Amino acid sequence: MAQKLLQFTKIDQANPDKRTAEERRHDFDEIYAAFAPDAARTQASRCSQCGVPFCQVHCPLHNNIPDWLMLTAEGRLEEAYEISSATNNFPEICGRICPQDRLCEGNCVIEKGFDSVTIGSVEKFITDTAWERGWVKPPLPKRELGLSVGIIGAGPGGLAAAMELRRKGFTVHVYDRYDRVGGLMVYGIPNFKLDKAVVGRRHQLLEAAGITFHLIFEVGRDKSLAELRAEHSAILIATGVYKARDLKAPGAGQDGIIAALDFLTASNRRGLGDTVEDAALDATGKHVVVIGGGDTAMDCVRTAVRQGAKSVKCLYRRDRRNMPGSQREVSHAEEEGVEFLWLSAPEAFLGDGAVSGVRAHSIHLGVADSSGRQIPQMVDDSAATIQADLVIKALGFDPEDVPTLFKAPELAVSRWGTIKVDHRSLMTSIDGVFAAGDIVRGASLVVWAIRDGRDAAEAIARYVVERQGAAAAAAE
């Protein structure tokens, strides 16, 4: 039976049941249970169906959120899935890992005083239901074009582009240096946020659509970019950014100081059944200090808890209000026993070859700079020592030297190392070679990578069709 909307004045916000902190500290299972159908309909009915849907405006994909909330409230789930998937290639993934508190839910017009609609949980419910009931189908084309596109990178941006291009009738080949499809969704995001089976079934769906994956394939080693370009009508570079930002301080070169992605990759590989023998990448029985305040830092502290660390502390140079990570993730981490040391920054790492502590000083936030953020300033005579057997640097990511790696010195990059593109065509300095996602915009969110991949697919299709038309006209 259809439910009335605008129920936010009568019905309180409710997320799916969350496992207790004590329970989830000991495994890597997702922390939220699935929404019961009645609960999902009830929560969807809280939507106000406002005239200007700011949830949709502030979604990078501009998902038609009010429409699929209305359809869910009315019990029309298959239609809700069709609307949800029309603008999002991976709604079940975004429903799990998007920072909704900073995007759609954070901009819900009923947020103040009534709490926002639980958009992410309903999105996850819709698509998980679609998978269970067989509504999710491979993106098969109506006709084959006989044209091929090569995509470098099997992360969210590359996969979104692959889906859209395959749907248009292109033959699609995806090249990736890792042994599994998914990029950071597999190796960088822990299972308690995104179960790897969720990514795996998307991989199987894309293969069923006829997309070919070339794994453990390194451009520049197995083939140069020029060689790949010669094999395809167009190329898309969607490699993401993987180079960890470093921290220069006395003692920073000691054993036990590692990069966040190395730590997370090792943990995820163990969860996938791979053998990881490097004990330096394991937090078991150690005093752990994570430096950083983004979502990667939250993934690290919560992973360390589950690995059985003696203590886990997060060192961040700004306060809680100014941290870039999701506030929801911070709350989860606090529940699980992580201690946050706000307004603190490292000045040296102690130890004799192996780290034994972090000497940190207090920070005062001074006047704002041109970006509007307050400038961190060290407080004199405030140094204190924090015990640490393992220090994890979660300071963000920069691009690798793609022109050198791909043996393509003619590929232009910005002063930050990101690939330069014409922002209208998304083409790089090489004709027929496009780029999208983090390798263009810098380290960002999965949802932005999906948006960029979809835009790149449209740009590539236009380019190839125009080239075909020009070639046909020249032949006449």
Side-chain angles (χ1 to χ4, degrees), residues 218-290:
E218 289 192 25
V219 181
R221 181 194 68 187
D222 299 300
K223 286 185 181 179
S224 68
L225 180 61
E227 289 173 320
L228 282 182
R229 175 68 185 93
E231 295 177 6
H232 299 287
S233 300
I235 293 289
L236 173 64
I237 301 173
T239 54
V241 293
Y242 284 84
K243 182 182 176 183
R245 291 177 184 159
D246 210 349
L247 181 66
K248 294 181 180 179
Q254 299 184 85
D255 293 340
I257 303 174
I258 62 174
L261 188 55
D262 293 341
F263 175 67
L264 293 172
T265 299
S267 178
N268 281 312
R269 283 197 176 277
R270 291 189 196 98
L272 289 162
D274 297 349
T275 300
V276 180
E277 297 179 351
D278 191 348
L281 301 176
D282 192 337
T284 305
K286 297 176 181 177
H287 295 284
V288 178
V289 173
V290 177

Side-chain angles (χ1 to χ4, degrees), residues 59-62 102-103 156-157 236-241 245 397-399 402 412-414 416-421 423 426 428 434-456:
C59 171
L61 290 165
H62 301 309
R102 286 156 48 193
L103 299 173
L236 173 64
I237 301 173
T239 54
V241 293
R245 291 177 184 159
F397 303 97
D398 288 322
V402 176
V413 297
S414 70
W416 300 282
T418 53
I419 295 177
K420 281 185 177 180
V421 297
H423 287 284
L426 300 184
T428 68
F434 298 76
D438 289 4
I439 195 59
V440 174
R441 71 167 59 243
S444 188
L445 302 172
V446 166
V447 66
W448 272 114
I450 296 170
R451 163 68 184 273
D452 293 345
R454 291 173 66 91
D455 289 347

Side-chain angles (χ1 to χ4, degrees), residues 9 93 101 133 139 189 216 249 289 326 343 385 387 389 413 443 445:
T9 59
I93 292 174
D101 56 328
R133 299 188 183 180
I189 299 176
I216 319 179
V289 173
S326 166
L343 295 169
T385 298
Q387 184 178 4
D389 308 309
V413 297
L445 302 172

Side-chain angles (χ1 to χ4, degrees), residues 2-13 41-49 73 110 114-115 117:
Q3 296 197 30
K4 294 180 180 179
L5 295 167
L6 293 97
Q7 297 296 300
F8 62 91
T9 59
K10 301 176 183 177
I11 299 171
D12 291 335
Q13 182 196 70
R41 286 197 294 270
T42 298
Q43 287 301 305
S45 74
R46 297 182 70 248
C47 177
S48 68
Q49 295 289 299
I110 68 170
F114 290 98
D115 293 323
V117 178

Side-chain angles (χ1 to χ4, degrees), residues 121-143:
S121 297
V122 174
E123 182 178 38
K124 172 178 175 286
F125 165 78
I126 292 168
T127 319
D128 284 352
T129 301
W131 279 99
E132 292 168 6
R133 299 188 183 180
W135 301 336
V136 185
K137 304 295 184 184
L140 296 171
K142 293 181 178 179
R143 66 185 181 92

Side-chain angles (χ1 to χ4, degrees), residues 54-197:
F54 288 101
C55 58
Q56 183 172 345
V57 171
H58 288 271
C59 171
L61 290 165
H62 301 309
N63 288 327
N64 299 316
I65 296 168
D67 289 349
W68 50 254
L69 285 173
M70 178 187 68
L71 291 166
T72 302
E74 294 175 352
R76 299 158 63 187
L77 292 182
E78 188 168 4
E79 293 168 85
Y81 167 69
E82 292 295 333
I83 296 293
S84 173
S85 61
T87 53
N88 189 349
N89 298 84
F90 314 117
E92 75 279 20
I93 292 174
C94 289
R96 286 170 163 85
I97 65 174
C98 264
Q100 288 96 5
D101 56 328
R102 286 156 48 193
L103 299 173
C104 54
E105 293 181 17
N107 290 280
C108 176
V109 298
I110 68 170
E111 179 187 15
K112 303 297 183 288
F114 290 98
D115 293 323
S116 61
V117 178
T118 53
I119 296 168
S121 297
V122 174
E123 182 178 38
K124 172 178 175 286
F125 165 78
I126 292 168
T127 319
D128 284 352
T129 301
W131 279 99
E132 292 168 6
R133 299 188 183 180
W135 301 336
V136 185
K137 304 295 184 184
L140 296 171
K142 293 181 178 179
R143 66 185 181 92
E144 299 287 352
L145 299 178
L147 303 166
S148 71
V149 175
I151 296 175
I152 304 170
L159 295 181
M163 282 186 69
E164 294 305 304
L165 288 165
R166 183 66 190 125
R167 190 174 279 124
K168 294 176 186 296
F170 289 91
T171 299
V172 180
H173 291 259
V174 181
Y175 304 88
D176 196 272
R177 62 184 171 185
Y178 288 103
D179 56 344
R180 292 180 177 91
V181 169
L184 288 179
M185 294 189 297
V186 169
Y187 290 120
I189 299 176
N191 265 25
F192 52 78
K193 286 173 62 177
L194 176 61
D195 192 287
K196 300 303 169 279

